Amino acid sequence: MFEGYYNKAMDEIEKKLGKKITPEQRRDTQRAFRDKKYDIVFPKGYALATLLSNLVEFYKIMAQMDWIIIRPPKNKAFISSDHPAFTFNPRPEGFWGSGIGLLALNCETIAILTPKLAIYLSQKHNPEGIRFTNGSAELVDSLNFRSSIVSSRFVLSHNEALLRRWVKKTKRFNHTQKLSNS
């Protein structure tokens, strides 16, 4: 849909193919994508091989990231949502930002495991492996803000007052509902 991105992608395809794509071929291809006039069919063997290859690549991406296990201070707790693991870009660059995927510049991936445990992943490679840290009150608030912002349907917490505070602060939902233990 964005001419600049489309032309850049087509230039890359030309390089990989080693031949020129005519302006007419570019227009036809763009029209096919825009009008969704295409089908993608993968042979079973190819799809399985691609899946396994992608798993290996995913492992490499995850292994090179900086992993930090965060524990909140005694008076703080994490909230979670219908998206307990999410990628967030706190410093998007330029008009279109810099993406939101695992490999995007500045992106951070957070997984809220329990009210007292979260995993933080970033692109800052750490050869030492996983680190454990006591998070500051400010960090816990930042992660709770992000958890609330990325939620689609609900946020949750073991503490109703904490939950109400974040719902009110981020104006994500009009109400909270107390869950019974039954």
Side-chain angles (χ1 to χ4, degrees):
M1 298 300 280
F2 301 108
E3 201 71 29
Y5 288 124
Y6 177 76
N7 287 329
K8 185 177 178 182
M10 292 305 286
D11 292 345
E12 290 295 318
I13 291 171
E14 278 183 343
K15 285 180 193 173
K16 287 181 182 178
L17 291 175
K19 64 179 186 176
K20 194 79 173 145
I21 300 172
T22 67
E24 183 178 288
Q25 289 171 319
R26 284 179 180 236
R27 279 192 305 277
D28 289 346
T29 303
Q30 189 175 30
R31 196 174 305 118
F33 282 121
R34 185 189 61 232
D35 299 341
K36 296 180 174 58
K37 301 277 187 197
Y38 59 89
D39 289 316
I40 299 175
V41 179
F42 289 100
K44 287 181 185 178
Y46 178 79
L48 185 57
T50 301
L51 172 67
L52 293 174
S53 172
N54 287 343
L55 285 174
V56 169
E57 288 303 311
F58 183 70
Y59 165 76
K60 289 176 186 176
I61 290 168
M62 298 300 286
Q64 65 84 33
M65 294 178 88
D66 186 21
W67 288 63
I68 303 172
I69 309 296
I70 302 170
R71 294 174 295 245
K74 287 189 186 288
N75 62 339
K76 289 285 191 175
F78 295 112
I79 65 169
S80 192
S81 77
D82 51 333
H83 298 293
F86 55 90
T87 300
F88 193 88
N89 189 345
R91 296 174 305 281
E93 296 179 0
F95 181 75
W96 296 107
S98 56
I100 196 69
L102 281 175
L103 293 176
L105 183 66
N106 298 327
C107 279
E108 302 167 345
T109 299
I110 295 98
I112 306 298
L113 302 177
T114 71
K116 295 293 181 184
L117 201 62
I119 298 175
Y120 170 89
L121 303 150
S122 75
Q123 286 300 321
K124 299 174 185 103
H125 178 67
N126 175 21
E128 301 299 316
I130 298 173
R131 294 180 286 147
F132 290 83
T133 188
N134 293 320
S136 67
E138 293 81 16
L139 177 62
V140 174
D141 285 347
S142 175
L143 297 183
N144 284 344
F145 173 78
R146 295 175 188 190
S147 288
S148 184
I149 291 300
V150 302
S151 62
S152 296
R153 297 178 309 263
F154 60 85
V155 289
L156 55 107
S157 174
H158 71 295
N159 179 311
E160 188 175 351
L162 175 65
L163 186 61
R164 285 186 183 281
R165 185 167 64 243
W166 282 103
V167 166
K168 183 178 178 183
K169 193 177 273 194
T170 58
K171 298 177 177 67
R172 289 289 292 142
F173 305 98
N174 341 357
H175 68 282
T176 59
Q177 179 179 359
K178 186 173 182 173
L179 299 176
S180 67
N181 291 335
S182 56

